[in-house]
Amino acid sequence: MSVSSESSALLIVGHGSTVNPDSSAPSLEQAAAIRAHDIFREVACCFWKEEPSLRDALFLFSDPEIREVYVVPNFISEGYFTQTVIPRELELDGRLTTRPDGQVWKYCEPVGNHPGVTELLLRRAREVAPQVPEAETSLVIVAHGTPLNDKSAIAAKREVEKIAALGRYASVQNAYMEESPLISDWPRLTNAPNVIVVPFFISDGLHSYEDIPVLLGIGAESGAASSPRAVFRRNPHRLHGRNLYYASAIGTEPKFAEIIIEQARAFDEAALDLRPIA
Amino acid sequence: MLPRISRALADWISAGARGIGQIEIQHDGGGFVLCHFDDIARKDLEIFRSPNDAAELAKFDDEGNYRPLKTAPNLRRGWRLELPDLEALQEALDFFYPGRLAVLAAWEANRLTTAPLRQTLHRQSGMYRVAAKISDEQIDTVVGQFCRSRGGNPGCLRTILWSRDATGARPSQHLPLEKFIAPIDQTGRGETRIPLLCQEACNLLVAEAREVVAEARETTSRAE
C-alpha cells in the first residue's frame, strides 16, 4: 500500500527543546505546509523534548480508516535519535511495525539522508548571496561535530563532497564547532574573496544564533534587545578582507516539506525494491 | 461520522464542559470563543481569529519566558481567540495542550496504556540512563513539586494515571488523591472541565529525576 489521502497518516518526529522556542518551528511549519497539500489523511508532529511527546504520538492516529502511519524523522542524519530513541519511544520493531489493530507504522529515513538536501544547500547559498559569482566564493557547511560518534558530521561531509564535485564554487569546505577543522579558522580554511557559511542543522537556536556567529567573529554585532534572527540579515560582513555571508539553519528551508513527503514515498519504493526477483 | 478525537471533544463540550486547563471555552453561535479563565470579565483582550495563533499564545508566559511544558499552570493572559467551528477549536487546543485530546480519546475508548515511572526511567539511555537510580523517597519529593497542580515548580495541570512502579504505588504522597483520579479536573474550580490526562512521565520529569540523582551524587562525593 502506498501513500493515500484516504488511509495514510504522516508523523514528523523532531527533537524539540526545553529552552529554545524556535526548535520545533521547522517541523510545525512543514506539517502545516504538507497538510495543505491533502496528501495524507492526517499530519502530526511529535518531539523528544516538547509536546506532543513521542509517547503521546502512539495515540494520535486512532481512527480505523488510518491503515498506515509514515514516520519521518526531521533529523539531519542517522544517529542516536533515529537509531535508538525514536524506535524505542514509538515501540517500532524495525522499518515496518504492525500494531495490534493492524495499523502499520512505516519508519522512513531521516530527511537529511535525502539526495535533495544538496540542492537545498545550493539554494540557501544562492539566496544568502544572490549577486555573488560562485567561482569567486568559498562555501562552508558547518556542523556540530564532536569527538564522539557524530553522524551529522559524516552527512555534512557527504554534502560537501557532492557540491564540490559540481565544480561551481572556488572551494567547498566542511567546518565544525567542536572539532577540526574549526569554523573559527574560516579565514585560513577559505581563500576566495566571498565566503558563504551555511549551518547544517534542522532548526535555528543557540548554535546558529550565537555560538557560530561568535566563532565567525560576527557575534559581537548581535544586540541583546534585537531579534536573534537579526544575525542573518546583516550580510555581508566585511572581515579579514573578505565578504562573509551567513545563512540560517538549512532545516528552516520551506522545501524540506517536499523532502519529508518524498521520504515517505521512498519508503514504499524501497520496499518494492526489496521484493525477491521472480 | 466525526473522527474519534473530534467526537471526544464534541461530547465534552455538549456535556457542558466550561473549558480545558486554564482555558475558558464559550459558545458563540456555531463557533467558540477562548480566553484565559481569569480573563472572562476583561474587555481589553487582544483578539485573534486563527487556530494557528494558539501556537504563539501557548509559547511564552506573561513574563515572556518560554513554556516547554504546555500543561504547566502558567498560560499567558490578555488574549481572546475567536474560532468558527469544532475543527478550528480542536486545532487550537492541539497547540495549547498538544496531544492531550488524543490521550483523552484513547482513555475514553479504553485504549490508553499507562507506564509506571520506574518503567519509563529504566527505558532511558544515554544521558538519562542515570535517572533510574532515583530512590522512592526522591520520587516522592520530585513528583510532589514538579507535578503539583497549584503552587508547584513548574507545576502541571494533568491528572496522573501512572504509578511509581509495578506495585501500583502512588508516586507521591505529597499530592492529593484527586491528582490521580480521572476525569477530575486539576484547576480546583469545581466545574466540569475537559481533563488533561498524563499516561506516562514526561521527558521534563525524567530530566528532573536525572538532576536529582546527579545532585545527590555530587553532595555525597563532596562529603567524602
Side-chain angles (χ1 to χ4, degrees):
Chain A
M1 201 178 277
S2 59
V3 174
S4 137
S5 61
E6 290 304 308
S7 62
S8 303
L10 172 68
L11 178 64
I12 302 170
V13 187
H15 189 281
S17 168
T18 57
V19 292
N20 169 20
D22 293 333
S23 176
S24 53
S27 294
L28 293 172
E29 284 162 15
Q30 284 143 15
I34 294 168
R35 236 174 249 129
H37 286 310
D38 214 16
I39 296 168
F40 296 91
R41 188 179 184 96
E42 278 187 35
V43 180
C45 294
C46 67
F47 303 95
W48 173 230
K49 292 281 199 170
E50 289 183 43
E51 300 156 272
S53 67
L54 278 77
R55 302 298 287 170
D56 292 335
L58 294 171
F59 306 103
L60 293 179
F61 307 105
S62 58
D63 279 302
E65 293 82 5
I66 298 174
R67 301 314 304 145
E68 63 270 319
V69 178
Y70 291 82
V71 180
V72 178
N74 200 11
F75 281 74
I76 208 74
S77 64
E78 295 280 9
Y80 173 62
F81 285 100
T82 62
Q83 292 169 344
T84 303
V85 176
I86 296 173
R88 182 188 72 211
E89 297 294 298
L90 292 181
E91 299 176 4
L92 302 175
D93 302 330
R95 289 288 167 196
L96 206 64
T97 304
T98 305
R99 304 296 188 196
D101 63 0
Q103 193 180 69
V104 173
W105 286 45
K106 298 176 172 181
Y107 190 34
C108 309
E109 301 249 342
V111 293
N113 274 11
H114 193 277
V117 171
T118 314
E119 179 51 42
L120 296 189
L121 284 165
L122 288 166
R123 182 187 162 100
R124 180 53 59 94
R126 277 195 302 274
E127 278 171 359
V128 76
Q131 308 297 332
V132 175
E134 291 172 346
E136 296 168 23
T137 302
S138 292
L139 177 61
V140 183
I141 309 294
V142 54
H144 194 282
T146 70
L148 300 170
N149 178 22
D150 177 15
K151 295 193 175 169
S152 69
I154 296 168
K157 209 169 279 181
R158 181 186 66 221
E159 294 302 327
V160 161
E161 282 168 11
K162 284 167 74 178
I163 296 172
L166 300 173
R168 284 161 48 173
Y169 284 92
S171 71
V172 188
Q173 172 79 45
N174 280 113
Y176 305 98
M177 294 172 62
E178 291 189 0
E179 68 181 85
S180 186
L182 290 165
I183 184 60
S184 51
D185 282 340
W186 70 268
R188 195 178 51 78
L189 298 171
T190 60
N191 48 23
N194 306 299
V195 177
I196 300 174
V197 176
V198 183
F200 197 61
F201 296 98
I202 282 294
S203 59
D204 282 317
L206 197 60
H207 292 331
S208 62
Y209 289 149
E210 292 179 30
D211 297 342
I212 297 169
V214 166
L215 293 168
L216 288 170
I218 60 174
E221 294 173 37
S222 301
S226 64
S227 153
R229 301 201 65 76
V231 72
F232 307 121
R233 293 194 287 263
R234 284 195 281 265
N235 292 315
H237 302 263
R238 190 73 191 155
L239 272 177
H240 302 284
R242 325 275 194 87
N243 294 315
L244 177 70
Y245 298 82
Y246 180 53
S248 57
I250 186 60
T252 61
E253 162 66 49
K255 286 215 170 266
F256 259 88
E258 290 172 22
I259 288 192
I260 291 172
I261 297 167
E262 285 188 25
Q263 289 299 57
R265 290 198 168 122
F267 183 96
D268 294 321
E269 286 156 20
L272 285 175
D273 289 347
L274 290 175
R275 283 181 185 178
I277 298 165
Chain B
M1 197 166 71
L2 282 174
R4 274 187 185 158
I5 298 170
S6 313
R7 204 160 64 232
L9 173 60
D11 288 348
W12 275 90
I13 296 288
S14 53
R18 296 281 301 271
I20 179 170
Q22 291 179 287
I23 296 171
E24 191 77 3
I25 303 173
Q26 294 169 306
H27 292 266
D28 180 29
F32 300 93
V33 175
L34 278 57
C35 67
H36 189 290
F37 61 26
D38 288 331
D39 284 344
I40 296 169
R42 276 174 66 174
K43 303 286 178 214
D44 60 342
L45 301 174
E46 189 180 353
I47 294 173
F48 297 87
R49 292 200 170 86
S50 164
N52 294 327
D53 292 327
E56 282 304 308
L57 292 170
K59 201 178 264 187
F60 301 99
D61 65 15
D62 277 323
E63 277 75 50
N65 301 309
Y66 174 53
R67 299 174 68 235
L69 180 62
K70 299 293 184 277
T71 44
N74 57 2
L75 182 67
R76 65 173 266 207
R77 298 180 54 184
W79 52 270
R80 174 185 159 99
L81 181 57
E82 300 175 352
L83 301 167
D85 52 28
L86 185 77
E87 189 183 344
L89 175 65
Q90 186 184 335
E91 268 181 65
L93 295 183
D94 279 339
F95 283 123
F96 279 119
Y97 296 117
R100 292 308 99 203
L101 291 177
V103 167
L104 175 63
W107 180 74
E108 292 187 327
N110 208 21
R111 294 159 53 100
L112 188 68
T113 46
T114 63
L117 178 59
R118 288 224 173 270
Q119 186 181 315
T120 305
L121 296 177
H122 280 296
R123 207 177 63 224
Q124 304 302 312
S125 56
M127 65 185 281
Y128 294 111
R129 192 187 296 274
V130 71
K133 297 196 180 300
I134 194 167
S135 69
D136 289 349
E137 292 72 26
Q138 288 169 324
I139 289 175
D140 188 27
T141 305
V142 168
V143 172
Q145 290 168 352
F146 194 91
C147 307
R148 181 174 291 278
S149 301
R150 291 179 298 283
N153 182 24
C156 179
L157 291 170
R158 296 189 196 187
T159 302
I160 297 175
L161 301 181
W162 38 271
S163 57
R164 184 186 66 203
D165 49 38
T167 68
R170 275 158 64 186
S172 177
Q173 297 298 322
H174 295 293
L175 299 176
L177 185 59
E178 58 263 31
K179 180 71 176 174
F180 304 93
I181 301 173
I184 294 179
D185 164 63
Q186 301 297 326
T187 60
R189 294 170 75 90
E191 303 164 344
T192 302
R193 303 183 70 77
I194 301 169
L196 300 163
L197 304 183
C198 186
Q199 80 281 18
E200 184 166 346
C202 65
N203 188 283
L204 284 146
L205 181 59
V206 171
E208 196 70 11
R210 172 182 172 265
E211 284 291 305
V212 168
V213 173
E215 274 172 30
R217 282 183 168 184
E218 214 170 280
T219 309
T220 310
S221 68
R222 266 206 305 269
E224 289 166 356

